[in-house]
Amino acid sequence: MPEPISYTLRFPAPQTHYVEVEALVPTDGLPAVELMMAVWTPGSYMVREFARNVEAVTLATETGEPLAVSKTSKNRWRVETRGAERIVVRYRVYAREMSVRTNFVDAGFAILNGAPTFLTAAGAQHRPHDVRVILPPQWRTVVSPLPGEANVFRAADFDTLVDSPLYVGNAPVHRFEVDGRPHFLVNEGEGSVWGGPRSVADAERIVREQASFWGVVPYDRYVFFNLITEAGGGLEHRNSTVLMTSRWKSRTREGYRGWLNLVSHELFHAWNVKRLRPAELGPFDYEGEVYTRALWFAEGVTSYYDALLVHRAGLSSRDEYLGSLSKEIEELQTTPGRRVQALEDSSFDAWIKHYRKDENSVNSGISYYTKGAVVAFLLDARIRQATGGLRSLDDVLRLAWRRHAGDRGFQNAELRDLIQEVAGNPSAGPGVWLASALETTEELDYGPALAWYGLRLVESDDDAKDGKSSKPGFEEPPAGWLGVDTEVQSGRLMVTQVRRGTPAYEAGINAGDEILALGDYRVPADGWEERLEAYRPGQKETILLARRERLTQLPVVFGEKPGLPWKLEVDPEATPEQLGRLEDWLRGAVPAVTANVYSKVQALTSHVSPGS
């Protein structure tokens, strides 16, 4: 085994938001060594230029003799070794970005991700990387998914190092076991508001449900880094995940279910993405973009299963789960960009679009998370329908795991062939439909899924109440509607977004405009919605705006706010057969007549070894 690169991390003044890094790098007898830092991190597809937070890079021999270092590119440093067997690299990293993909250090705790923290020798990615943490006196806990002891951990290679977050602080660490594997829930910020015992018990239920779903636990240990920091987001890793949430989420059922869905989503990635992955997603080029058209499967299918498996774990009701799925459908169907960008294109363009949203993003593109989840729902129903309930998308994932989990990954054509194989007869299967759903901007057909499960789409309760009087027997005419999103900023009523196809879009109202008046009357910054109630669809008026501080008057014609018939509910006329299919889907059950087929699929997947 080659000699490892060894890092020592220190936090001499964590309140200043710095971590100090010292690395002992073997030179392998080379006259010069090039050091590099990743510019992005897997799971978050945008170049983030982590080197911008690196300061005071110095090089020396082990005996302390200074070595000259020159920066050769934005994320590379070159050093002449002068025959030294090892060189010592010292630098500081500024860490004050509260996100799951970057670093944060303050007086309370530190969360470090690999990509924005560690320089490595270019070309040495397959060498072991050791990490030692020197604790400041006020902290007592170090948690890593890496094996190790006494605050020293080893990553088998640079990929593993990047994929292994590190927590340092004083958070409660809750442990539980599933299938003999230890799991740890690190609740930084738990305090008196967040329910620690409840969250660990529910996380365990989700782990058990997912282990049962896949038929295998693919890791030796797993860590949930749950940072209760009034932030949001999640990022998957091979043996862990970083989550961010608000402590107040635990005080409402909807907020807490959102956290459970996040736990479920990121855990599901331990199978789907980290081991069962598109071939393009590994080995990684950490210095350039890595393109794939399969994020609809990696992220969208995961988004479909996150809330579904929370429901199957008994942590949400049927109506709550259907409500979660309804929100995905509504978000997609009210996004004009669905008519502009195809799902596979959304995946390919993640590097320039998904993480770089602006005021026009809703008009020019769609999320591969959202449309991917909706397509997965419809695909699941089509597979069930094509096979008479014998197979489902569950079986696609288990078969894909058996065939493609591991180092090689799957090609897009292989995935589509596998889906068709599970669905059976090409003439009745989802192949042609799936190609359209992935490659075109054609509207999705919800009819077959609704008919299979005995569901229907209706307007949400809030939409049904819009413009309606509370007095029995009296119905208020609908209020006028322009279709702008607004926000009060420093006491000014500002337009933040204008969706294509709305009266505001047709009138030429722009994001960034300040709304001042309708007709001859000023609109108070906090009175926009109330003022709209004074107008009716079809009515004409002028709107006074300030655009770049210049007054602009535009004619507008009010429309009627469209109803949003995207809420899923059980059809009152659903047949017992339809209700049985609905129950089978939501419970993850298979009809008794197909139990033998199902058990064979389970037997096949159970032979996949952990970590494959």
Side-chain angles (χ1 to χ4, degrees), residues 149-191:
E149 57 185 18
N151 297 345
V152 179
F153 307 95
R154 168 158 290 188
D157 48 39
F158 186 68
D159 283 331
T160 304
L161 181 68
V162 167
D163 214 16
S164 303
L166 184 73
Y167 170 86
V168 191
N170 298 308
V173 180
H174 305 275
R175 174 186 168 126
F176 61 90
E177 287 195 4
V178 174
D179 288 357
R181 270 70 162 196
H183 295 70
F184 304 89
L185 177 62
V186 181
N187 274 344
E188 168 58 45
E190 179 176 297

Side-chain angles (χ1 to χ4, degrees), residues 29 89 158 235 238 260 353 443 450 466 542 550 556 582 590 592 596:
V89 187
F158 186 68
L235 186 64
R238 189 171 177 86
L260 294 176
K353 283 181 175 279
E443 290 282 23
L450 301 180
D466 278 354
T542 57
R550 182 175 181 176
V556 295
L582 176 66
V590 174
N596 186 48

Side-chain angles (χ1 to χ4, degrees), residues 515-524 531 535 541-544:
I515 298 175
L516 300 173
L518 279 172
D520 296 328
Y521 298 94
R522 180 177 177 272
V523 178
R531 184 61 55 84
Y535 293 88
E541 188 55 277
T542 57
I543 186 168
L544 181 63

Side-chain angles (χ1 to χ4, degrees), residues 370-605:
T370 302
K371 187 171 182 179
V374 175
V375 167
F377 159 61
L378 300 178
L379 175 61
D380 193 359
R382 284 178 178 268
I383 294 171
R384 292 170 187 266
Q385 186 176 27
T387 62
L390 293 175
R391 297 289 176 88
S392 70
L393 189 57
D394 300 8
D395 299 304
V396 169
L397 287 169
R398 295 181 187 117
L399 185 57
W401 173 265
R402 182 170 66 87
R403 289 189 183 170
H404 299 298
D407 294 334
R408 187 178 73 87
F410 59 80
Q411 301 290 338
N412 287 348
E414 291 175 318
L415 179 61
R416 292 203 197 185
D417 288 345
L418 188 147
I419 292 170
Q420 188 59 63
E421 178 183 342
V422 171
N425 184 355
S427 63
V432 174
W433 174 86
L434 183 60
S436 175
L438 300 181
E439 299 171 15
T440 78
T441 58
E442 294 296 320
E443 290 282 23
L444 298 176
D445 182 4
Y446 294 89
L450 301 180
W452 182 255
Y453 295 126
L455 298 172
R456 67 179 184 178
L457 287 167
V458 298
E459 289 187 32
S460 69
D461 294 338
D462 289 341
D463 294 322
K465 292 176 183 177
D466 278 354
K468 303 293 179 66
S469 171
S470 59
K471 295 180 180 180
F474 181 80
E475 186 172 294
E476 186 77 26
W481 176 76
L482 292 178
V484 296
D485 292 342
T486 61
E487 183 178 290
V488 177
Q489 301 173 0
S490 301
R492 305 166 75 184
L493 179 61
M494 306 300 296
V495 176
T496 56
Q497 193 172 74
V498 183
R499 293 178 184 247
R500 181 181 285 113
T502 63
Y505 189 89
E506 300 301 326
I509 299 174
N510 296 171
D513 288 348
E514 179 187 1
I515 298 175
L516 300 173
L518 279 172
D520 296 328
Y521 298 94
R522 180 177 177 272
V523 178
D526 60 354
W528 176 242
E529 295 298 330
E530 182 179 0
R531 184 61 55 84
L532 289 178
E533 293 177 1
Y535 293 88
R536 296 289 173 259
Q539 191 170 347
K540 298 179 181 180
E541 188 55 277
T542 57
I543 186 168
L544 181 63
L545 310 167
R547 179 175 297 168
R548 296 184 295 277
E549 304 302 326
R550 182 175 181 176
L551 297 182
T552 300
Q553 197 170 41
L554 297 174
V556 295
V557 179
F558 289 93
E560 181 176 352
K561 183 178 180 180
L564 303 177
W566 305 118
K567 178 186 176 183
L568 286 169
E569 68 173 23
V570 177
D571 191 328
E573 298 183 0
T575 66
E577 184 180 19
Q578 288 173 315
L579 294 176
R581 296 171 190 157
L582 176 66
E583 185 69 11
D584 289 339
W585 165 49
L586 294 179
R587 288 193 299 114
V590 174
V593 70
T594 67
N596 186 48
V597 174
Y598 182 79
S599 65
K600 289 180 180 178
V601 174
Q602 285 287 75
L604 289 172
T605 60

Side-chain angles (χ1 to χ4, degrees), residues 10 98 165 568:
R10 295 181 175 88
M98 187 67 80
L568 286 169

Side-chain angles (χ1 to χ4, degrees), residues 218-236:
Y219 43 77
D220 294 327
R221 67 199 303 264
Y222 193 91
V223 181
F224 297 93
F225 296 97
N226 185 39
L227 307 180
I228 309 165
T229 55
E230 306 311 307
L235 186 64
E236 73 276 5

Side-chain angles (χ1 to χ4, degrees), residues 197-518:
R198 175 193 182 195
S199 62
V200 71
D202 291 345
E204 181 177 350
R205 291 177 69 173
I206 291 170
V207 174
R208 292 190 182 280
E209 183 64 35
Q210 295 203 10
S212 175
F213 175 90
W214 289 98
V216 59
V217 176
Y219 43 77
D220 294 327
R221 67 199 303 264
Y222 193 91
V223 181
F224 297 93
F225 296 97
N226 185 39
L227 307 180
I228 309 165
T229 55
E230 306 311 307
L235 186 64
E236 73 276 5
H237 298 280
R238 189 171 177 86
N239 299 321
S240 65
T241 179
V242 178
L243 314 169
M244 289 187 176
T245 188
S246 165
R247 58 183 45 83
W248 305 107
K249 293 280 189 183
S250 66
R251 290 301 181 95
T252 67
R253 184 164 177 84
E254 182 177 1
Y256 186 64
R257 280 195 301 108
W259 181 77
L260 294 176
N261 292 346
L262 178 63
V263 169
S264 181
H265 183 101
E266 303 305 337
L267 176 66
F268 200 79
H269 279 318
W271 292 266
N272 188 33
V273 169
K274 301 312 295 185
R275 292 168 174 86
L276 172 62
R277 60 174 176 80
E280 302 89 354
L281 297 185
F284 291 112
D285 173 5
Y286 292 103
E287 298 182 89
E289 295 88 342
V290 178
Y291 298 99
T292 178
R293 296 187 179 276
L295 291 180
W296 74 271
F297 190 84
E299 292 291 356
V301 169
T302 299
S303 295
Y304 168 59
Y305 276 103
D306 57 24
L308 181 57
L309 292 179
V310 166
H311 175 71
R312 290 180 183 176
L315 295 170
S316 68
S317 69
R318 182 185 70 183
D319 288 346
E320 285 173 333
Y321 170 66
L322 292 178
S324 295
L325 183 55
S326 298
K327 289 180 179 178
E328 302 275 19
I329 295 172
E330 180 178 328
E331 181 180 342
L332 173 64
Q333 293 301 141
T334 57
T335 299
R338 75 186 187 281
R339 299 289 191 95
V340 177
Q341 186 181 48
L343 183 50
E344 284 192 337
D345 292 340
S346 173
S347 171
F348 193 84
D349 284 342
W351 294 92
I352 58 174
K353 283 181 175 279
H354 183 76
Y355 294 95
R356 299 178 184 272
K357 289 184 172 66
D358 59 27
E359 71 282 352
N360 194 50
S361 294
V362 71
N363 294 321
S364 62
I366 48 97
S367 164
Y368 48 81
Y369 286 86
T370 302
K371 187 171 182 179
V374 175
V375 167
F377 159 61
L378 300 178
L379 175 61
D380 193 359
R382 284 178 178 268
I383 294 171
R384 292 170 187 266
Q385 186 176 27
T387 62
L390 293 175
R391 297 289 176 88
S392 70
L393 189 57
D394 300 8
D395 299 304
V396 169
L397 287 169
R398 295 181 187 117
L399 185 57
W401 173 265
R402 182 170 66 87
R403 289 189 183 170
H404 299 298
D407 294 334
R408 187 178 73 87
F410 59 80
Q411 301 290 338
N412 287 348
E414 291 175 318
L415 179 61
R416 292 203 197 185
D417 288 345
L418 188 147
I419 292 170
Q420 188 59 63
E421 178 183 342
V422 171
N425 184 355
S427 63
V432 174
W433 174 86
L434 183 60
S436 175
L438 300 181
E439 299 171 15
T440 78
T441 58
E442 294 296 320
E443 290 282 23
L444 298 176
D445 182 4
Y446 294 89
L450 301 180
W452 182 255
Y453 295 126
L455 298 172
R456 67 179 184 178
L457 287 167
V458 298
E459 289 187 32
S460 69
D461 294 338
D462 289 341
D463 294 322
K465 292 176 183 177
D466 278 354
K468 303 293 179 66
S469 171
S470 59
K471 295 180 180 180
F474 181 80
E475 186 172 294
E476 186 77 26
W481 176 76
L482 292 178
V484 296
D485 292 342
T486 61
E487 183 178 290
V488 177
Q489 301 173 0
S490 301
R492 305 166 75 184
L493 179 61
M494 306 300 296
V495 176
T496 56
Q497 193 172 74
V498 183
R499 293 178 184 247
R500 181 181 285 113
T502 63
Y505 189 89
E506 300 301 326
I509 299 174
N510 296 171
D513 288 348
E514 179 187 1
I515 298 175
L516 300 173
L518 279 172

